[in-house]
Amino acid sequence: MDLRIFTEPQQGATYDTLLAVAKATEDLSFDAFFRSDHYLAMGSGDGLPGPTDAWITLAGLARETKRIRLGTLMTAATFRLPGVLAIQVAQVDQMSGGRVELGLGAGWFEQEHTAYGIPFPKEKFARLEEQLAIVTGLWETKPGDTFDFHGTHYDLTDSPALPKPAQAKIPVLIGGHGASRTPKLTARFADEFNMPFASIEDSERQFGRVRAAVEAVGRKADDLVYSNALVVCVGKDDQEVARRAAAIGREVDELKENGLAGTPSEVVDKIGRYAEVGSRRFYLQVLDLADLDHLELISAQVQAQLS
């Protein structure tokens, strides 16, 4: 059972803050440090001191960590051209010694596109499909060969398909609640399917759809990792849970309903119920990045029970 730390830096975080969290992630034996790929704060927060770029951040962390996996949940296909993205991710993979994973999604937050002058196309899913084909195709092209792709949205001719990642295959994550197109896309391209912020019942239903789609294309359903992303708020007692919930502007009952919240034993029990429907990896959405004691508690009293 993998526990990964998942951050939302657009809500307000410097690179140094993210570095501290990533080093704690490594020191406390978590599996990976992931971050969102957004440029605008959501909700009532001011997002100060401003956004950090996902792949620039991960490039820095690649040189300042040694063990943990590094990745995005999820990079927006609207932010980067696929050829450029393939180069960026491959380079960060080289810089990390082969520890990078790419979560890629269609992009959805129109306001951040407007704020930073990023085109927000009406048809996003078809672009995502082409991006996945291009990025994975560039990485898979043998050295000395060239890559061509002629699609509706992107056109590549005689690409040298360089550089190559350090890994033989960078794991690709796809996620979402879509009942038809998302499972089919996952079956074609993904090594992991992630169900974000969903109930046990909805996760079970979507995992079933993905497994069926994977088997329909001749792959083994168990070849994929099935994971959940959930907000986390753990305390050694009810008072500490309430304090941590207040610090992130959330209610305890709501967090217990929609995330992994409560005492360590309560959280371990809920993780077990997700595991019963097929989840094998959890992205713990940590919203108070200054509270490193929170990570220590999760490591010592949640992760230790799952090992």
Side-chain angles (χ1 to χ4, degrees):
M1 184 67 69
D2 294 336
L3 296 186
R4 296 181 159 191
I5 300 303
F6 170 43
T7 62
E8 301 273 7
Q10 76 278 354
Q11 299 304 105
T14 64
Y15 173 76
D16 286 340
T17 298
L18 296 171
L19 175 60
V21 174
K23 286 188 171 181
T25 298
E26 185 155 87
D27 293 343
L28 295 169
S29 299
F30 291 104
D31 181 62
F33 173 94
F34 270 59
R35 60 156 292 163
S36 61
D37 190 5
H38 286 294
Y39 293 128
L40 198 67
M42 301 171 195
S44 59
D46 56 23
L48 292 175
T52 50
D53 181 82
W55 287 101
I56 290 176
T57 297
L58 294 176
L61 298 180
R63 308 302 289 178
E64 300 196 69
T65 59
K66 298 183 182 300
R67 177 190 59 80
I68 51 174
R69 308 290 293 177
L70 300 166
T72 50
L73 206 67
M74 301 283 187
T75 280
T78 50
F79 285 176
R80 300 166 183 88
L81 296 172
V84 174
L85 180 62
I87 291 169
Q88 290 174 321
V89 179
Q91 183 179 3
V92 178
D93 194 53
Q94 292 175 359
M95 293 168 71
S96 71
R99 294 183 284 123
V100 160
E101 304 185 12
L102 172 64
L104 188 61
W108 62 270
F109 190 18
E110 184 173 6
Q111 188 177 352
E112 70 184 338
H113 292 73
T114 302
Y116 285 97
I118 303 168
F120 189 70
K122 181 177 180 180
E123 177 49 75
K124 293 178 286 297
F125 200 91
R127 290 173 181 271
L128 170 62
E129 185 173 5
E130 290 192 12
Q131 285 223 358
L132 285 162
I134 292 166
V135 170
T136 58
L138 287 167
W139 292 338
E140 291 167 0
T141 299
K142 294 179 181 179
D145 291 346
T146 58
F147 177 80
D148 293 83
F149 182 91
H150 306 293
T152 301
H153 304 286
Y154 304 102
D155 200 291
L156 286 76
T157 301
D158 292 333
S159 172
L162 297 171
K164 298 301 182 192
Q167 298 175 85
K169 187 180 192 312
I170 289 180
V172 173
L173 291 72
I174 295 174
H177 296 252
S180 177
R181 297 173 76 183
T182 296
K184 289 178 182 178
L185 202 63
T186 300
R188 286 182 60 194
F189 295 109
D191 302 284
E192 177 178 339
F193 176 75
N194 178 262
M195 190 61 169
F197 311 110
S199 68
I200 295 167
E201 295 76 18
D202 287 346
S203 297
E204 181 177 25
R205 188 177 303 111
Q206 187 71 335
F207 289 163
R209 294 183 184 121
V210 171
R211 293 177 70 88
V214 170
E215 290 175 347
V217 299
R219 300 176 66 189
K220 294 181 180 179
D222 287 339
D223 286 348
L224 268 68
V225 174
Y226 299 85
S227 64
N228 285 90
L230 293 160
V231 63
V232 67
C233 181
V234 186
K236 63 180 182 295
D237 52 36
D238 291 343
Q239 290 73 28
E240 190 166 82
V241 174
R243 176 177 64 78
R244 288 201 163 107
I248 59 174
R250 304 279 285 270
E251 298 292 331
V252 172
D253 289 345
E254 179 268 322
L255 287 169
K256 288 187 176 184
E257 176 70 21
N258 298 312
L260 297 174
T263 62
S265 61
E266 289 178 294
V267 171
V268 168
D269 177 71
K270 192 164 186 181
I271 287 175
R273 286 185 277 137
Y274 275 97
E276 288 174 359
V277 302
S279 190
R280 294 292 177 265
R281 179 174 290 160
F282 292 86
Y283 293 82
L284 308 180
Q285 185 196 44
V286 177
L287 296 177
D288 185 354
L289 299 182
D291 186 4
L292 299 183
D293 290 342
H294 192 197
L295 301 188
E296 291 185 15
L297 177 67
I298 296 168
S299 175
Q301 297 193 34
V302 175
Q303 183 168 241
Q305 293 188 57
L306 298 170
S307 299

